[in-house]
Amino acid sequence: MDMIDPFGRTISYLRVSVTDRCDFRCTYCMAEDMAFLPKKDLLSLEELDRLCTVFIEKGVRKLRLTGGEPLVRKNIMHLVRQLSRHLKSGALEELTLTTNGSQLSRFAAELADCGVERINVSLDTLDADKFHAITRWGHLGKVMAGIDAAQAAGLKIKLNAVALKDFNDAELPEMMRWAHGRGMDLTVIETMPMGEIDTDRTDQYLPLSLLRASLERQFTLSDIPYKTGGPARYVHVAETGGRLGFITPMTHNFCESCNRVRLTCTGTLYMCLGQEDAADLRAPLRASEGNELVADAIDEAIGRKPKGHDFIIDRRTSRPSVSRHMSVTGG
């Protein structure tokens, strides 16, 4: 029952945005005065579980919960615990999530108890003042306490840092040393033109080809075949003994090997992060107690998955490539 798209790619990875809400307002991600979805439009946790289960029955082997910030969704651990039954049955190979770390102190131990083995934590700087500036509402100490709690619970952590020109580019070598010293991988990501924000993305955009060239003046980077199921390309850093990942949607897109689709908290399925085309799964989900209608809708959507995206950031392109914010689709 594997899902195969028109370009022969097997779709085995589902990212589910359980909420578009977040307790941060990161400047490259969203405007400070965001209008979030009405709560009445959101799928219930039971509906999210049902949809995820249909995808697992259709061949999804890796499921990642995202947001917004997934851990601010009320009763989110009920959904995590329900989904963990697929880990126990062997139908699902991995259940994981991406978080800003603000709620990890509360939930790390329970996540581990549910079978979550590793998580991604978004962290763009180790400077408390800069952290507050970039997140607008966040506090670095709270995130650090969350990372401590996650490691104490046995969770493996990968840090995700968006590379931002003249903000954290000079700091990334020290962030890498710190992460590797604590046994964490670090992945750097190019900023993406998604949704209207309060700043000019051309002022933030740093091609990772330039960052890598800069790092190679200090470190010995060797390409390795390591994969986590996502789009990162990894190198081994001889001086630290750790891994560094590069996610390059702008300079070297990863579309040829894309195995992912994204489900929003309203039941909208996006077949590509960088395209507007989508499929409504909420209507067929609610139209019948059985799953045949929604399974057919998924098949039809996978049949429309595009070959890739066409992100552009330059002075001539002032509008974002897609109108929705990253917090809607979940990364």
Side-chain angles (χ1 to χ4, degrees):
M1 294 188 64
D2 285 351
M3 295 178 287
I4 310 294
D5 78 1
F7 303 94
R9 298 170 296 196
T10 299
I11 308 305
S12 59
Y13 185 180
L14 176 67
R15 297 189 180 190
V16 183
S17 175
V18 297
T19 179
D20 68 327
R21 296 171 186 268
C22 188
D23 51 352
F24 291 177
R25 294 291 184 274
C26 294
T27 58
Y28 54 81
C29 181
M30 60 176 74
E32 185 167 11
D33 185 21
M34 285 289 290
F36 292 112
L37 295 165
K39 291 184 178 180
K40 64 180 177 61
D41 291 347
L42 271 60
L43 295 179
S44 68
L45 295 177
E46 290 73 22
E47 288 174 322
L48 283 169
D49 177 34
R50 185 176 158 202
L51 266 181
C52 290
T53 298
V54 174
F55 273 99
I56 292 166
E57 291 172 348
K58 295 179 72 62
V60 161
R61 294 292 172 263
K62 178 176 178 179
L63 198 155
R64 177 178 296 277
L65 302 181
T66 68
E69 169 48 48
L71 295 178
V72 301
R73 173 83 191 246
K74 187 177 180 181
N75 296 326
I76 185 59
M77 292 311 302
H78 173 72
L79 176 62
V80 176
R81 196 161 291 281
Q82 286 295 106
L83 291 172
S84 71
R85 73 188 185 278
H86 299 298
L87 292 172
K88 295 174 183 175
S89 73
L92 193 63
E93 293 174 4
E94 184 176 46
L95 174 62
T96 184
L97 80 157
T98 295
T99 174
N100 64 26
S102 67
Q103 307 298 315
L104 274 179
S105 292
R106 295 171 56 198
F107 295 117
E110 191 174 356
L111 286 168
D113 187 58
C114 289
V116 174
E117 296 181 350
R118 68 183 189 94
I119 59 174
N120 289 0
V121 177
S122 301
L123 182 64
D124 300 319
T125 177
L126 297 177
D127 181 290
D129 291 336
K130 289 169 65 176
F131 181 86
H132 187 68
I134 196 74
T135 63
R136 293 190 178 106
W137 295 4
H139 298 282
L140 182 63
K142 195 172 182 181
V143 174
M144 290 300 188
I147 289 173
D148 290 342
Q151 290 196 312
L155 296 173
K156 294 181 180 178
I157 297 175
K158 178 169 75 73
L159 297 181
N160 288 339
V162 176
L164 299 168
K165 184 172 61 177
D166 299 329
F167 177 78
N168 64 357
D169 42 353
E171 187 184 354
L172 287 170
E174 185 53 38
M175 283 189 67
M176 182 178 69
R177 291 188 187 97
W178 176 79
H180 292 173
R182 292 193 55 162
M184 298 182 288
D185 291 347
L186 172 67
T187 293
V188 287
I189 308 170
E190 290 174 335
T191 187
M192 288 175 268
M194 297 186 65
E196 294 285 359
I197 58 174
D198 300 327
T199 56
D200 186 344
R201 283 193 171 95
T202 55
D203 294 332
Q204 300 176 323
Y205 173 53
L206 174 65
L208 292 193
S209 54
L210 297 182
L211 175 64
R212 177 165 179 166
S214 174
L215 289 172
E216 286 181 323
R217 290 194 283 270
Q218 305 178 55
F219 302 98
T220 307
L221 309 182
S222 304
D223 293 313
I224 56 175
Y226 177 75
K227 284 283 185 183
T228 61
R233 296 178 173 93
Y234 283 90
V235 298
H236 176 262
V237 184
E239 289 77 6
T240 65
R243 285 186 295 251
L244 176 66
F246 296 93
I247 296 181
T248 52
M250 304 299 297
T251 56
H252 183 187
N253 75 44
F254 32 75
C255 303
E256 71 281 353
S257 60
C258 183
N259 62 343
R260 298 169 295 284
V261 290
R262 293 164 173 85
L263 179 68
T264 75
C265 54
T266 62
T268 301
L269 183 70
Y270 285 97
M271 291 72 77
C272 175
L273 180 65
Q275 302 282 2
E276 296 283 17
D277 188 32
D280 173 24
L281 301 186
R282 182 173 60 185
L285 182 76
R286 293 178 173 175
S288 170
E289 292 185 2
N291 293 328
E292 294 83 3
L293 292 178
V294 72
D296 289 344
I298 292 170
D299 288 340
E300 191 276 334
I302 298 301
R304 291 191 279 117
K305 183 172 170 64
K307 190 171 185 178
H309 64 252
D310 302 297
F311 285 148
I312 299 172
I313 293 179
D314 61 29
R315 293 291 177 192
R316 295 166 296 173
T317 311
S318 60
R319 302 286 297 176
S321 293
V322 294
S323 60
R324 68 186 185 281
H325 289 82
M326 180 71 85
S327 62
V328 172
T329 321

